[in-house]
Each structure stands twice: as C-alpha cells, then as structure tokens.
Amino acid sequence: MHIVIMGCGRVGAELARELEGRGHSIAVIDRDPTAFRRLGSRFGGRRVTGLGFDRQTLEKAGLAEAGAFAAVSSGDNSNIIAARVAREVFGVENVTARIYDPRRAEVYERLGIPTVATVRWTADQMLRRLLPSGAEPLWQDPSGAVQLSEVHIAPGWLGHKVALFQERTGVRVAFLTRMGEAMLPTSKTVLQEGDLVHVMLPSDRVAEVEAACALGPEEERA
C-alpha cells in the first residue's frame, strides 16, 4: 500500500526504510528539507517539504490514495492535528500519532486516535498499528509451546461475543484494549470496532489462528 509519514527524524526515517523494504510505496513529509538526508541515497519514495497538517502538502504526498498515515514529528500538537486531518478529511483507515506526553496519549486514544507514547515506543508497536495483520507475539513461555499474541480480527467478527470467537478460532482471549484501556472480557463481551484483541494460543497453531481471525464467523463456518 501507499503510506505517508510525517516527520523525518530518526523514527520517521527508520519507519520509511523499513516499510519500503517490505514493498510499500512511501512518502515522507518534513518542513526541513535537510532532514531527508536521514533516508539515505537508496530511498526511492517521495520527499515532500512542508507542514504535515497542511492539506496541500498532504495531497502532494498522495494521502488521498494512502492506506496508512504515521505522524511522528517532534510536536504533539502537530502530530494530533495531522492525524485528525488524515482520518477525518482524507478518510485514511490506519492512522497513528506519536505523542510525548503519556497522559495526553490516553486522552486521544479515548477520542479514537491511535497513539504511541514515546516513553513506550518501539518500531514493532508502530508497525503493528500501521499494518494490522496476523498474530504478533508479545510473550512466549520458556518451552515455546504457548504464546500471547495480538491478533487482527476481520470486520465480520465485530458485534459477536467473545465466546463465539474463542469457539471458532480455538484461542483464549486474555484481554482486550478498548479506547486505550485494557479490560478482561467475559464470554458475553461483544467485540467492537477498534478493539485490540490479545489471545493465548499454541505456538504451532499460529497460521491456523491467523486464517480463522481473518474470516468472519459465517465465512469460517463455510
């Protein structure tokens, strides 16, 4: 997919190179043209000079055709404004913003803007939000037989109870992250849009579980 990154500091440059290496087309925005040096000579994506929340700049970066947007500049306010413009004006599905203040990050999570607080930032966390697919391992027991993973569920699962999800996929839902807050679900808890689903599963069934999560309950039954 096409991905737009606002901010060409160390984080933005690392993301750009990593995502381009995975075969995605990339556009990087920064108001300082000298910042693009961090991308290196092998970077083949777009370099767009301008403010990342300016509509014309975003259009030049190809945000209208983008499947994901990451705001990782050095300013919390700029990142949030840009993320909201990407989500609300351009309709980009996968949007995330880097926030330095963890308390503010929680507020924006509650408003439906996925954020990554700098104090707990890792490249893997950001990539999981930009490319929400598959089962990403978060923990594994010493024997390697069981793991805790964050899984991406297909839209078809939304509105269905956790009990049905567990029955059809063969996993155990350890917890959900909803609107920035972790919660322990019951069998009657209904999956909602935006839920991050964390499950326990056998390590040798990852591919099977990924396939089941990628299908809705009706498709999975068929």
Side-chain angles (χ1 to χ4, degrees), residues 24-39:
H24 301 284
S25 66
I26 308 298
V28 182
I29 300 171
D30 202 288
R31 60 183 179 180
D32 179 7
T34 63
F36 298 127
R37 297 173 183 172
R38 295 186 177 95
L39 295 170

Side-chain angles (χ1 to χ4, degrees), residues 113-133:
I113 301 174
T115 62
V116 174
T118 300
V119 293
R120 58 182 173 83
W121 184 90
T122 67
D124 287 341
Q125 285 178 315
M126 185 67 78
L127 288 168
R128 279 201 295 272
R129 286 160 175 76
L130 289 174
L131 307 172
S133 62

Side-chain angles (χ1 to χ4, degrees), residues 28 30 55 57 61 81 99 102 151 162 177 179 190-191 197:
V28 182
D30 202 288
R55 184 164 182 166
T57 300
I81 292 173
I99 302 297
V151 296
V162 165
T177 302
M179 301 298 287
V190 175
L191 295 170
V197 184

Side-chain angles (χ1 to χ4, degrees), residues 109 175-183 194-198:
E109 285 274 7
F175 66 98
L176 302 176
T177 302
R178 179 173 292 173
M179 301 298 287
E181 291 189 350
M183 60 177 288
D195 283 352
L196 297 180
V197 184
H198 302 83

Side-chain angles (χ1 to χ4, degrees), residues 103-174:
R103 291 171 297 180
R104 296 177 71 184
E106 292 179 4
V107 172
Y108 291 122
E109 285 274 7
R110 292 172 183 269
L111 294 176
I113 301 174
T115 62
V116 174
T118 300
V119 293
R120 58 182 173 83
W121 184 90
T122 67
D124 287 341
Q125 285 178 315
M126 185 67 78
L127 288 168
R128 279 201 295 272
R129 286 160 175 76
L130 289 174
L131 307 172
S133 62
E136 293 289 343
L138 303 176
W139 173 87
Q140 194 170 56
D141 82 298
S143 71
V146 178
Q147 67 182 51
L148 171 68
S149 294
E150 177 183 316
V151 296
H152 175 63
I153 61 173
W157 287 108
L158 304 180
H160 291 281
K161 294 180 179 179
V162 165
L164 177 64
F165 177 76
Q166 293 183 146
E167 177 186 344
R168 297 290 178 81
T169 60
V171 303
R172 291 293 179 268
V173 178

